[in-house]
Amino acid sequence: MAETEDFVGQEHYPVNDNLFKEPMRKRRRSDRDQRFRAFPSMEQSALKEYEKLESRTRRVLSNTYQKLIQSVFLDDSIPNGVKYLINRLLTLIEKPLLDPIYIGLFGSTGAGKSSLINAIIQQAMFLPVSGESICTSCIVQVSSGCCEQYEAKIHLLSDQEWKEELKNLTKLLHGTEEPGREEADVWDRGDAVEEAIWKLQMIYGNGAERKNYEELLRAKPKGKIPTSRIITLKAEEAGELSVKLDPYIRTKRRDWDEESAETQIWPLIKHVEVTLPKSELIPEGVVLVDIPGTGDFNTKRDEMWKKTIDKCSVIWVISDIERVSGGRAHEDLLNESIKACQRGFCRDVALVVTKTDKLHLLEYLRERKMGNQAIQSQREAVLERNEMIKLQRNRILKEKLKRKLPADSKLLEASDLVYTVSAQEYWQQALLTEEETEIPKLRAYIRKRLLDKKRRMVTKYVTEAFGLLLLTDSFNCTENLPNEYLHMSGLRRSVEEKIQLLEEAIDQCFAHLARPLQEGVRNARTSYRRALGACLARSRGNQGFHQTLKAVCLKNGIYASRTRTRIDLNEAITQPIYDQIDPVFGGIFRAGTPSSSALMPHIDAFKHSLQEKMTEIGIRNGWKLDSCKKSFLIQEISAILGGLEAYILRKKRRIYESLTASVQNDLKPCYEEAAQITGKKACERMKDVIRRGVDRQVAEGMFERAQERMQHQFQQLKNGITEKVKGSIATMLTLASSQGDALYKELADVKSEYKEMEKLHRSLREVAENAVLRRGMQDFLLRMSPSKAGPPKT
């Protein structure tokens, strides 16, 4: 989704005096055709029709733009209305073909994320894989494009970002010693300290962990760091790029003796972008994201970890077959993914169970509890077990989703919430066929997501372009209505009334959250000590844990490690509030079925009521049935309000996180105090400071303040929506006013472009009907085709 703050209207299309800009050149046909190689022939046909519609629409817009530019080129003063129109045209012409679909592969150590990506892209060892150990050390994005070579861009922390981490690493190392402890105990360090030492030694060499912050600032890194903070790798073949990329993204073990120039800057790597040339399996416009672990100690990397999850429209929670039935890490990952549905762009969550070829036949037969049919082979046992896992985990996942999402959420209706895959069998096919590994099923899912998004995007694009051509044509429209001013005055009054009704509807939406918020605050007040105690008692005794606790305090209550479960004290003590508000919060921001609590259906209803009012006023006051002004106003309303959804979704994250952000801000002084503690029994003293600090803040109304801040964020969202609607519609009505307002002049004749755009708009229905016919034919052929036989029985 485009990261633009505003939407169609006065703010999104400012009057720009630099009008004579050359529009970007369109993509060559050969390049466009290459983008469809990942699709079967029927899906290719649908995509080509949508691509043709989009391309012809851009051509019409570009011709219109050129005509308007030529008509005003020699003018000393260009009316604001014309400037607005030309800027709108240029913005639509240069609008991206398709915002990427991010699919996040989210899993713990050794779950098989990289192996799964390798299988999906048909490159066996492209990303590093290594059994049970951690392999991928940073976020890796894999996509395909029209480049001729394989390419990787390695993004490093900026100088300032590394200095911030360096300061925290040295605080962690030099502030946790406890005089009087035995030497053996001193070296019984927690993961936080071990990782800090490792990073410093990797960048500055052995002994770096004994230097202070100022000394390390003056030290010269062992590896060469480019001033651009980006390293670009290119190769003709996938294997060649894989070899070059491996040292940068493979996690280094401390017992490895091998060290290269690439490994020396490994701690500085923020994320990696890999682009494949013209993939026949992954369509352009899809980005597979390998998201390792549960965050990072570095603030910027941890922010990127969370933002990456939030920008994914699809999240696959990856868990291997031996861990899927339990384990805290698996549950934490599932919970984080469901939160992404609440605060981010995620619309689809699924559990992908990997390594499903693993099965000890004799043990399985002894414990088997289903059916009387005899198992004849390892393959039959694997397929039966996989089906059982699907049924069990689908039920459990759906129950978990029901507790967090609104009852009519589309995700709860999904037919495939669980996939059972085997990357190893995909390559070997000793037990399972290619289809039974479900790798092709995941590819088909990816293609469907892209095709659906392309259809929606082109429909919206052509409709918006048609509205813009209506506006352009209306500039030369000869409708001469004596009561034109009265028309617009009546519309303005009606708009004001409708906006007031919209404000009341938004208030009603947010009012549904009031009671759950209050109940959640009450629950948090009674249970916060238990939640805090669970976070502060993560290990037996204090050996090794006091450094981890130090790291928690240095990062204001949060500790993220590549190897351990994420610790977030702020989130833990606010969880009772989220447990109460989650279903209602999700209901407010969902699309689809109208209800008193859903925001977007109210905005849709506002749109339709405005359009009906415009039609009614037009008919009553003598506008022709095909009046260009009436048509423009109706289309423009759709464009203005259609852009609101992206704005609302971006604000949603800030609202959702306002509870933990408020608590974190209130507890910051006690975290800072605890972080300064050193010496004997430092761990217990830190815990005591945190407990007393939380108690004090709760007594002073910490949870109530968090509640007020969330309600304030909702109020800001309402104000933002109404201000944007008022401003944009006011601009629209001004532009639709008569020529007497001195906004217009006689422009170039664009009748031919308008007629062409009208044909394209009508053809949208034909393209949609063709797509339905193709889907029906494809389903029929799939039903009639014989199923493939499996490998020989073993």
Side-chain angles (χ1 to χ4, degrees), residues 38 54 153 249-250 271 383 590 592 742:
E54 182 189 332
K153 287 188 176 180
I249 64 174
R250 182 185 289 275
H271 71 285
L383 291 174
R590 77 177 183 274

Side-chain angles (χ1 to χ4, degrees), residues 358-543:
K358 286 185 177 181
L359 181 138
H360 191 285
L361 184 57
L362 293 178
E363 287 183 6
Y364 177 75
L365 292 175
R366 187 175 65 246
E367 297 174 3
R368 183 171 177 252
K369 298 177 181 177
M370 59 179 290
N372 296 318
Q373 185 177 353
I375 292 292
Q376 301 294 327
S377 66
Q378 180 92 1
R379 176 174 180 272
E380 289 180 4
V382 166
L383 291 174
E384 182 184 79
R385 189 273 318 273
N386 289 355
E387 192 61 31
M388 182 179 64
I389 287 287
K390 274 189 178 182
L391 292 171
Q392 290 175 347
R393 302 314 299 183
N394 186 79
R395 187 187 71 254
I396 293 169
L397 180 54
K398 192 160 284 190
E399 288 172 357
K400 184 180 282 287
L401 291 170
K402 282 179 180 177
R403 291 195 296 270
K404 295 291 184 179
L405 302 179
D408 59 351
S409 171
K410 289 183 178 179
L411 183 52
L412 295 175
E413 301 170 4
S415 57
D416 289 316
L417 282 175
V418 181
Y419 298 86
T420 51
V421 306
S422 171
Q424 181 169 313
E425 275 300 297
Y426 175 78
W427 300 110
Q428 297 178 356
Q429 294 184 32
L431 289 174
L432 306 176
T433 65
E434 183 176 303
E435 285 76 16
E436 287 166 347
T437 68
E438 298 204 353
I439 300 297
K441 193 173 183 180
L442 292 178
R443 289 185 188 139
Y445 171 87
I446 291 170
R447 294 195 305 269
K448 183 179 184 301
R449 290 285 303 198
L450 187 72
L451 189 57
D452 289 347
K453 185 169 184 178
K454 183 71 174 179
R455 173 183 52 79
R456 291 194 303 271
M457 189 276 290
V458 171
T459 301
K460 183 178 178 181
Y461 186 75
V462 173
T463 302
E464 189 173 347
F466 180 50
L468 200 50
L469 263 292
L470 282 168
L471 171 59
T472 308
D473 192 49
S474 74
F475 271 44
N476 291 328
C477 186
T478 56
E479 286 183 82
N480 231 346
L481 300 173
N483 55 349
E484 178 84 5
Y485 178 77
L486 294 176
H487 295 169
M488 293 304 165
S489 297
L491 274 177
R492 286 188 175 94
R493 285 195 299 272
S494 179
V495 166
E496 289 171 2
E497 292 168 4
K498 300 288 184 186
I499 288 176
Q500 187 173 352
L501 291 174
L502 176 62
E503 288 179 327
E504 293 172 3
I506 294 173
D507 283 335
Q508 288 175 13
C509 288
F510 299 162
H512 284 81
L513 202 66
R515 179 174 291 178
L517 255 178
Q518 291 171 354
E519 291 176 358
V521 166
R522 283 197 297 269
N523 292 345
R525 289 183 66 89
T526 59
S527 65
Y528 75 90
R529 285 195 179 99
R530 184 167 60 252
L532 187 62
C535 288
L536 297 179
R538 294 222 167 182
S539 64
R540 291 175 296 175
N542 293 327
Q543 290 185 2

Side-chain angles (χ1 to χ4, degrees), residues 723-736:
E723 285 171 13
K724 290 173 186 300
V725 169
K726 285 177 183 176
S728 299
I729 292 181
T731 300
M732 177 196 73
L733 293 177
T734 302
L735 289 170

Side-chain angles (χ1 to χ4, degrees), residues 302-344:
D302 197 55
E303 285 176 4
M304 172 161 285
W305 175 81
K306 209 160 198 175
K307 286 180 179 178
T308 300
I309 294 171
D310 287 349
K311 75 179 179 182
C312 291
S313 55
V314 178
I315 293 179
W316 291 341
V317 180
I318 313 298
S319 182
D320 75 51
I321 191 73
E322 295 176 345
R323 303 185 196 181
V324 72
S325 296
R328 177 170 183 166
H330 172 72
E331 289 302 312
D332 286 347
L333 293 169
L334 266 179
N335 291 334
E336 191 67 39
S337 302
I338 295 170
K339 284 178 186 174
C341 292
Q342 300 284 29
R343 68 174 184 244

